[in-house]
Amino acid sequence: MAAAWRRERPGTPVSSIGIVTPLWRLAKLFGDDRRRVLARAGVDTATLDLLSMLRRAGEPYTLTTRELADRSMITAGAVSQRVARAEREGLVTRRPGEGRRRSVLVELTDAGHALVETTVDQVLTRESDLLTGLTPEQQNQLAELLRVLLHDVQQRLDDHRLSQVGEPD
């Protein structure tokens, strides 16, 4: 691909193709595979994202809808829809927050906790299996390089919505 662009558009910088294109392809492959794992587990990506954010928050596994929106990079309306669906399924509960009039607290139920525990294990085990083509040292090197690249791109784009890999969200 890079050679063809070099031939057709001499002078156009093509070095990014060797990095960005494989990242896009890997993101597609990982995303598709994750959706298949989740379908077998009977949960969708949006629900797992919601439950995972609550689980990672630590006890009492509660966040406000605003915190959920900030951490997930989706609108308040989308958070409300996700929470409503998860509440109908018995995975979370909602209640008014203390202090702020319009604040809503979302809490993981026992059923939601059990589902996220099982599903996260399935997803992370599968993704670990997909990385076995790299040695542990190569995985660490790649993780560090991707962390550096993500941080730099976030700085350049002034977009800090995603937490750094390995940092609490």
Side-chain angles (χ1 to χ4, degrees):
M1 190 183 305
W5 280 119
R6 225 181 269 102
R7 181 189 70 239
E8 295 298 318
R9 302 244 339 132
T12 297
V14 296
S15 61
S16 64
I17 291 173
I19 296 169
V20 176
T21 299
L23 285 174
W24 278 107
R25 289 177 177 170
L26 283 166
K28 170 95 171 90
L29 290 168
F30 281 125
D32 289 349
D33 190 71
R34 179 178 278 199
R35 280 185 286 283
R36 285 190 294 273
V37 170
L38 293 178
R40 286 192 297 270
V43 66
D44 62 274
T45 303
T47 300
L48 180 62
D49 285 347
L50 172 66
L51 300 179
S52 294
M53 280 185 277
L54 292 167
R55 175 62 178 90
R56 289 190 312 264
E59 288 190 53
Y61 311 117
T62 303
L63 294 170
T64 66
T65 52
R66 180 180 188 95
E67 290 170 318
L68 289 167
D70 290 345
R71 293 177 186 206
S72 61
M73 296 179 12
I74 60 174
T75 65
V79 166
S80 182
Q81 289 176 353
R82 288 181 182 188
V83 170
R85 186 173 58 240
E87 188 175 38
R88 283 191 304 274
E89 295 172 10
L91 303 173
V92 301
T93 58
R94 279 190 276 201
R95 67 179 189 278
E98 298 100 30
R100 299 182 77 181
R101 195 174 50 163
R102 295 176 54 191
S103 177
V104 176
L105 293 173
V106 180
E107 185 173 359
L108 202 56
T109 64
D110 289 342
H113 190 275
L115 179 62
V116 75
E117 293 294 301
T118 302
T119 307
V120 165
D121 281 350
Q122 290 173 19
V123 168
L124 295 180
T125 297
R126 173 62 176 163
E127 290 174 355
S128 290
D129 290 345
L130 292 174
L131 295 177
T132 59
L134 299 175
T135 66
E137 180 180 290
Q138 290 171 323
Q139 289 180 35
N140 289 336
Q141 288 175 314
L142 180 58
E144 177 60 18
L145 290 171
L146 291 172
R147 188 193 65 72
V148 169
L149 180 61
L150 176 59
H151 178 73
D152 183 64
V153 171
Q154 286 179 309
Q155 294 298 322
R156 291 169 183 262
L157 299 178
D158 194 29
D159 187 338
H160 304 280
R161 294 176 293 173
L162 295 173
S163 63
Q164 291 293 311
V165 177
E167 291 181 4
D169 53 353

